[in-house]
Amino acid sequence: MRGAPAAPFTRKGSPNTSSNDPASQASRSDTPGKEVVEVTWLRKNRHADPEPSVEVVTDALRDAASRLLTGTIEFTCPAGQGRVFTFDGAPYAVDLPGFTPRLAARMHAAGWIGVDQLSVLAAEFPAASTQAGRSAVERGWIESEQLGELHQEYLLASLGGLGEASISSVHTDSGATTDRLCTIPVDAEGVIQTLRLRAERAAGTWAAMSIPDNPAQVVFRAHADLPSEMKIPEVVAVHGLLAVDRSVDDVGEVLGLTRAEATHILGALVAQGIVRHAWGVTPPTDGHLRVPEEFGATSSGA
């Protein structure tokens, strides 16, 4: 899955909204040209207090794929309403309230742009602007495929955040599109399998560091210099931040990494004895999302 065209998906879909679907009950909006399909997840509604479950997200993705939905899947959570955009049933973008990736910082951390180019983007765009990546492509500083890789990572991380959220309702809106942080539409089943692998790898990394839960409450600090064989741009960038204590989400926020990316790098540094970790941070409660995976643990949107 590669690429991130500026305005890639404008075709309006006409999903199958048959009320015979046992997984959902359909109700149509009175707004001309707009159709809303309310999806009732019966097993979730048995709970007075919704519980985090990636199954709600995966079931909704499969439902959208079966109906070739072009539009949005909207998840209502305590942190706000997360929206997954699909084209012919394939997801290509996610919008989480309160989260905008730091694309310029991420491109710099990857070594794709230098300090001077970062300064140009910083002068033209806010730190959290989604236009910085597009501007870098238009200037010829990076390839569209590189930007697409970042958008893909944010897509997967955002879906992971939704999977950890306490989802109280799900519905779909046919016809809606976006050109923000898009990837080429990806097969829903492939996305679901990738999400499972990412969750397993993250759990394995934390287990290897003897951190069973609440990774956001762990701080890291550099203990030794990087060996030459580990001087990869993102690793160098992370190591450079650890002269002081930093949590995994601190690292993600500053460098524009997702929690999955920061976890992978920190796990490698800890395994090599270059970085040490300890308990010692209280996660923020102001509703600001530093990384997309934090969406499920944040009580209110920014």
Side-chain angles (χ1 to χ4, degrees), residues 61 64-65 68-73 84-93 176-177 185:
L61 289 173
L68 299 179
L69 174 70
T70 293
T72 59
I73 314 168
V84 179
F85 290 83
T86 63
F87 178 75
D88 282 352
Y92 67 89
T177 60

Side-chain angles (χ1 to χ4, degrees), residues 121-144:
L121 294 176
E124 293 185 11
F125 303 102
S129 172
T130 61
Q131 301 301 311
R134 188 173 299 174
S135 178
V137 171
E138 291 171 350
R139 285 178 157 103
W141 295 346
I142 68 171
E143 299 295 329
S144 62

Side-chain angles (χ1 to χ4, degrees), residues 101-128:
R102 296 170 59 89
L103 282 167
R106 181 66 184 86
M107 291 185 290
H108 182 253
W112 296 348
I113 62 173
V115 174
D116 291 344
Q117 294 166 320
L118 179 63
S119 298
V120 170
L121 294 176
E124 293 185 11
F125 303 102

Side-chain angles (χ1 to χ4, degrees), residues 17-251:
T17 55
S18 171
S19 59
N20 294 326
D21 181 355
S24 65
Q25 295 174 343
S27 63
R28 289 164 174 74
S29 169
D30 293 332
T31 305
K34 183 177 181 180
E35 184 173 46
V36 175
V37 181
E38 298 291 343
V39 182
T40 303
W41 307 105
L42 299 178
R43 66 177 179 280
K44 298 302 294 181
N45 290 343
R46 295 192 186 104
H47 298 285
D49 298 314
E51 298 176 353
S53 176
V54 71
E55 290 184 6
V56 177
V57 176
T58 57
D59 284 353
L61 289 173
R62 287 185 172 121
D63 176 75
S66 70
R67 296 187 288 112
L68 299 179
L69 174 70
T70 293
T72 59
I73 314 168
E74 301 181 0
F75 301 87
T76 301
C77 314
Q81 189 173 69
R83 297 193 300 167
V84 179
F85 290 83
T86 63
F87 178 75
D88 282 352
Y92 67 89
V94 179
D95 178 39
L96 298 182
F99 172 73
T100 305
R102 296 170 59 89
L103 282 167
R106 181 66 184 86
M107 291 185 290
H108 182 253
W112 296 348
I113 62 173
V115 174
D116 291 344
Q117 294 166 320
L118 179 63
S119 298
V120 170
L121 294 176
E124 293 185 11
F125 303 102
S129 172
T130 61
Q131 301 301 311
R134 188 173 299 174
S135 178
V137 171
E138 291 171 350
R139 285 178 157 103
W141 295 346
I142 68 171
E143 299 295 329
S144 62
E145 288 82 3
Q146 292 174 294
L147 182 59
E149 290 175 11
L150 301 187
H151 287 186
Q152 176 184 351
E153 175 63 24
Y154 290 127
L155 170 81
L156 293 168
S158 296
L159 287 171
L162 278 169
E164 292 299 318
S166 295
I167 297 171
S168 58
S169 68
V170 183
H171 73 273
T172 59
D173 181 356
S174 64
T177 60
T178 186
D179 65 353
R180 182 181 182 272
L181 298 174
C182 299
T183 72
I184 297 298
V186 196
D187 173 68
E189 200 60 41
V191 168
I192 290 167
Q193 295 304 319
T194 300
L195 290 173
R196 287 176 176 167
L197 284 173
R198 286 166 65 92
E200 290 171 4
R201 289 171 181 169
T205 299
W206 292 114
M209 292 189 285
S210 300
I211 302 172
D213 52 24
N214 269 337
Q217 296 185 31
V218 178
V219 293
F220 298 84
R221 183 182 286 229
H223 174 67
D225 293 335
L226 277 177
S228 58
E229 64 270 18
M230 292 190 71
K231 290 186 177 179
I232 301 165
E234 285 95 339
V235 178
V236 172
V238 169
H239 184 265
L241 290 178
L242 300 180
V244 297
D245 289 346
R246 301 269 192 179
S247 72
V248 61
D249 292 343
D250 289 336
V251 171

